[in-house]
Structures are given as structure tokens and as C-alpha cells.
């Protein structure tokens, strides 16, 4: 069997805890002879800063670019708030995304039947919810130049960033959204702030033009981001694929994630362009952060990390069947009310991080045996 080279970057705080559970699942697939993983591990974020004085080393960038896929945990925390801005843990992730050319971030927001009551919205609003947020990941205000903080007169200062998008950047992310929509509900809602920002005007024009030229069977709607955030809370099921820029995608994806009951449930995939050898650079990570407040207590929910692994199997490794196995095992665990504290509903006791991982493995055993 051809082995798959996976770079595992657990990161900081709960990152390593939830990653341990994903590694158990990878071990399970290896021990069953279903997939053979060649795993490299590396440091990123604060843990890399502590050891190497930088949140991302050249070595990790090289390993990432050589791997078949990167499985990422989460980074950051108050411990590094005083570190020089350019050496903060977040920079490690942002630079890794940029070095790997990961322009497309896919963030599904799916409500599992068993978790419909965990949402802060009424069950009928979210039951069966299945949205895919397609977020542009290496452009816009996150990376735009000029940026900085400069002194003006009288010891006053000004902080500034630049929002800019080129035709090329807009078209390549819009294509991803349309291609995904074609495999789902054939509907794209493109989100911008074209009533205030020129970059949004161009965004809107290019997204429409691409649809008219190549995707005439996809239904396209444009929405301003403030309205979209309102609509997401009012009637989230109107959406199929949401296409948006880096900053708006960051905000809307947290909002959409919470519709599902917990940030601890949602995976994401970040993809680049296919290279000449046919490989697509890719990184998989949970939407949640490093949650310093609950780290080290064995209470973090590892499901988002494990579902990120499932996305990796599906989008990068051509193991759709195994990805479905993980999804089914998670469904089964939830339907039996095995819950970590974030999704707990008062039946029995919440389980810890490692117990949740074990429960998912035991369901994998059961499903695989049938
Ligand atoms: C995310 C995170 C990151 C982002 C941070 C950690 C840099 O919030 O992946 O959504 O803003 O992109
Ligand atoms: Mg975010």
C-alpha cells in the first residue's frame, strides 16, 4: 500500500490534546491496514516560538510543502500576547497558509440530528442545517500592503491596513465555490461590502461575470456582510454555499459554527492550486482556537479535530469510504449521548477528551465489523 505523508502540527494549549485523539484514529486505520500513514510531527505557533524563537520554522514549511497533507491543531494564547507582533503564534498559521498557497478555506457548518438542541437557536431553525462557507484565505486585509502603525504629529499614532482583491484572486476562489455548489444545492451567496468598499464592487462584478460565463446553472445571490450575519441567525437554512473574503469569512464562520451548537464540532479544509505533479497543497484544522481556559483538563471536544482528519481523507487522500466511516462513528457516539461538556445536555456525565476519542474508536470497530 502506498503510504501517505502527513505532517502533524498540534500547536498550543488544547491543540495537542485534541490532536492525540485524531492520532488514535489514524493509528486505528493503520493497524487495520486500511490506510498507511507516514507521520512527521512539528512545532508551530507559541510552542515553536518557545523553542526556536519563531512561530514557524523553514523546516516546518519545507515539510509541509513535501507532505500529502497537513493536519493542524490550534495555536495562540495569552502567554504570547507580549511577543513582538510579527512573531506571534497567529503569524505562524498565517505564514504557513501563505507559504503553501492555501487560498481556499472550506468551512462546513452542519447540524448533527443528535445535537439539534445544543444550538442556541430554536431547533426548527437549524434542524438539518448544512452550509459550506468558502473563505478566501491568503488575500484581502489580512495580507494587504501597506500596513502598520505609524507616528503622526504630537506623539499621536495611526494604525492602518489595506483591503485589496485582484480579479485573479476573486476568480480563483469563486470557482471553488461554484464547483462545490454544483455538487450540493447549486446555490451560491456571495458576501461583500460593496456599498462601502471598492474592493467589494470588484468582488461582486467578477463573481457575477464568472457565473454568467461558466456557471449559468448555479443560482447566484449577492449579500452585504451585515445583512448576511443577520440572515444567518434569522433563517440559516436559506444558504447553501457562502462565498466570501478573508476577514468576513473569519467572522461569519465563527457565527455559523455556533449555529451548530459548539465550535468544538467543526472542521475545515484549506486548499491551494494543483501543481504540475497533480498534487493539491492542503491543510486541515478545526475552526476552534487553542482555548487556553480549558487546556490541560481533558475536557476539550476532539470531534472538530477528528472531523478535520475525515475531511483530509476525503479531499486529499481519496479515501471517501474511510472518511464516511469517521462521520458515521461520530454520529453514533452523539446519538448515544456520549458528550463532552461543550455539547452536554444533562444525560449521565460528560466525557473527557480522551474518552471521546476512545468512544469514536469503539464505534469505528463496530461499524467496520458490520
Ligand atoms: C481562523 C483563526 C485565524 C484567522 C487566526 C488564529 C489567525 O481565527 O482560522 O479563523 O483569523 O484566520
Ligand atoms: Mg477565526
Amino acid at each position: 500500500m502506498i503510504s501517505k505523508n502527513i505532517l502533524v502540527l498540534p500547536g498550543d494549549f488544547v491543540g495537542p490534546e485534541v490532536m492525540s485523539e485524531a492520532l488514535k484514529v489514524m493509528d486505528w486505520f493503520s493497524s487495520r491496514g486500511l490506510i498507511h500513514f507516514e507521520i512527521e510531527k512539528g512545532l508551530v505557533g507559541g510552542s515553536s516560538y518557545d523553542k526556536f524563537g519563531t512561530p514557524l520554522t523553514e523546516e516546518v514549511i519545507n515539510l509541509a510543502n513535501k507532505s500529502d497533507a497537513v493536519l493542524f491543531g490550534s495555536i495562540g494564547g495569552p502567554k504570547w500576547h507580549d511577543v513582538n507582533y510579527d512573531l506571534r503564534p497567529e503569524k505562524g498559521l498565517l505564514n504557513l497558509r501563505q507559504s503553501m498557497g492555501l487560498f481556499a478555506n472550506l468551512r462546513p457548518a452542519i447540524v448533527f440530528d443528535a445535537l439539534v438542541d445544543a444550538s442556541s437557536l430554536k431547533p426548527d431553525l437549524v434542524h438539518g442545517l448544512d452550509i459550506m462557507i468558502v473563505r478566501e484565505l491568503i488575500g484581502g486585509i489580512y495580507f494587504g500592503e501597506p500596513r502598520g502603525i505609524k507616528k503622526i504629529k504630537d506623539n499621536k499614532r495611526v494604525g492602518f491596513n489595506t483591503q485589496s482583491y485582484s480579479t485573479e484572486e476573486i476568480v480563483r476562489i469563486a470557482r471553488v465555490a461554484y464547483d462545490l455548489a454544483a455538487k450540493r444545492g447549486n446555490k451560491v451567496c456571495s458576501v461583500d461590502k460593496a456599498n462601502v468598499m471598492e474592493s467589494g464592487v470588484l468582488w461582486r462584478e467578477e463573481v457575477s461575470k464568472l457565473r454568467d460565463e461558466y456557471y449559468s446553472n448555479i443560482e447566484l445571490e449577492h449579500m452585504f456582510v451585515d445583512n448576511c450575519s443577520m440572515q444567518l441567525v434569522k433563517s440559516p437554512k436559506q444558504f447553501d454555499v457562502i462565498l466570501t473574503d478573508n476577514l468576513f469569512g473569519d467572522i461569519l464562520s465563527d457565527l455559523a459554527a455556533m449555529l451548530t451548537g459548539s465550535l468544538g464540532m467543526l472542521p475545515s479544509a484549506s486548499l491551494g492550486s494543483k501543481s504540475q505533479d497533480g498534487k493539491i497543497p492542503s491543510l486541515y484544522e478545526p475552526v476552534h482556537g487553542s482555548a487556553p481556559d480549558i487546556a490541560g483538563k481533558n475536557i476539550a471536544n476532539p470531534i472538530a479535530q477528528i472531523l478535520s482528519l475525515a475531511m483530509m481523507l476525503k479531499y486529499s487522500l481519496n479515501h471517501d469510504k474511510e472518511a464516511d466511516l469517521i462521520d458515521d462513528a461520530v454520529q453514533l457516539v452523539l446519538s448515544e449521548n456520549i458528550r463532552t461538556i461543550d455539547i452536554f445536555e444533562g444525560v449521565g456525565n460528560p466525557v473527557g477528551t480522551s474518552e471521546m476519542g476512545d468512544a469514536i474508536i469503539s464505534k469505528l470497530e463496530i461499524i467496520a465489523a458490520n
Side-chain angles (χ1 to χ4, degrees), residues 274-291:
K274 202 183 257 182
S275 63
Q276 275 175 346
D277 60 5
K279 213 164 84 177
I280 297 178
S282 62
L283 178 148
Y284 297 83
E285 59 175 319
V287 170
H288 65 71
S290 63

Side-chain angles (χ1 to χ4, degrees), residues 3-151:
S3 63
K4 309 287 185 184
N5 292 310
I6 308 301
L7 176 64
V8 170
L9 300 174
D12 309 322
F13 290 106
V14 300
E17 289 178 58
V18 292
M19 187 63 84
S20 296
E21 305 314 306
L23 285 166
K24 277 186 197 164
V25 175
M26 290 170 89
D27 275 352
W28 184 85
F29 280 111
S30 291
S31 68
R32 291 232 146 201
L34 293 171
I35 311 171
H36 188 65
F37 294 108
E38 219 39 90
I39 296 174
E40 286 269 8
K41 283 191 195 151
L43 295 176
V44 71
S47 53
S48 171
Y49 176 82
D50 286 348
K51 182 143 186 214
F52 303 114
T54 168
L56 183 68
T57 58
E58 282 300 319
E59 194 198 345
V60 165
I61 296 177
N62 289 336
L63 286 172
N65 284 322
K66 273 196 288 191
S67 68
D68 290 311
V70 177
L71 190 62
F72 193 96
S74 48
I75 42 94
K79 188 175 168 198
W80 301 285
H81 278 180
D82 293 333
V83 168
N84 176 319
Y85 197 69
D86 285 328
L87 296 173
R88 291 258 189 97
E90 290 77 3
K91 279 281 176 192
L93 175 58
L94 295 173
N95 291 346
L96 186 58
R97 286 172 179 167
Q98 200 179 31
S99 321
M100 295 177 71
L102 306 173
F103 68 91
N105 184 216
L106 278 41
R107 300 194 160 181
I110 293 167
V111 171
F112 289 90
D113 282 352
L115 280 190
V116 78
D117 291 318
S119 172
S120 44
L121 294 195
K122 294 193 188 86
D124 58 316
L125 285 184
V126 294
H127 182 251
L129 184 75
D130 180 358
I131 301 176
M132 178 67 89
I133 297 189
V134 177
R135 167 188 177 194
E136 199 292 325
L137 202 59
I138 52 173
I141 203 156
Y142 270 57
F143 294 94
E145 298 283 349
R147 63 187 300 155
I149 300 178
K150 69 176 177 195
K151 281 214 171 84

Side-chain angles (χ1 to χ4, degrees), residues 103-106 134 171-182 210 215 241 243 271-272:
F103 68 91
N105 184 216
L106 278 41
V134 177
V171 167
R172 71 176 176 183
I173 189 69
R175 267 209 190 98
V176 173
Y178 290 135
D179 288 339
L180 273 169
L210 184 69
Y215 295 94
V241 172
L243 161 65
L271 309 171

